[in-house]
Amino acid sequence: MANPIVHWELMVADPAKAQAFYRRVFDWTFADQGPEYTLIDTGTPPGGGLLARPPGVTMSSLNCYFAVEDLDRTLTAAVDAGATVIVPRMAVPAVGWFAMFLDPEGIPIGVMQAQAEPPADR
């Protein structure tokens, strides 16, 4: 399986200011998913997300999420190769699961395992 980018996020100090900027510069559209997360539609896949920097995070960033077949196996391989898990496996309802690690250079890398499709009714 290839590991394409399937989602990306902007983690910023001021989400409202970021929305205004990217709407003006790129004409992106935004859809709030609750008080803490907004989906970004650039017009072509993959879609993105926007969130405020969590407490203690001092820098804004662009996070990328790569598709994986087995999230747990990928995290184990990453740690064995020198990574540090920073967001353990978390469920994304109706999507699947994600996690994040820092590679040996300190770059945050996101991984997503898609939820298995339910069997088709016969």
Side-chain angles (χ1 to χ4, degrees), residues 6-105:
V6 293
H7 187 72
W8 53 274
E9 293 174 331
L10 295 171
M11 190 169 58
V12 300
D14 186 339
K17 185 176 179 179
Q19 279 190 41
F21 174 82
Y22 289 105
R23 185 177 291 113
R24 183 172 179 186
V25 173
F26 294 131
D27 201 27
W28 291 351
T29 59
F30 300 87
D32 289 335
Q33 300 298 298
E36 297 180 12
Y37 202 79
T38 300
L39 290 177
I40 301 171
D41 184 352
T42 66
T44 59
L50 178 70
L51 69 152
R53 291 190 317 233
V57 175
T58 58
M59 294 180 57
S60 296
S61 66
L62 170 63
N63 301 323
C64 292
Y65 293 83
F66 298 91
V68 298
E69 289 185 25
D70 185 325
L71 187 72
D72 296 324
R73 184 174 64 221
T74 301
L75 288 177
T76 297
V79 169
D80 289 349
T84 303
V85 175
I86 57 173
V87 177
R89 178 188 185 99
M90 295 182 66
V92 179
V95 174
W97 300 267
F98 85 98
M100 291 188 84
F101 58 85
L102 295 176
D103 78 357
E105 293 289 326

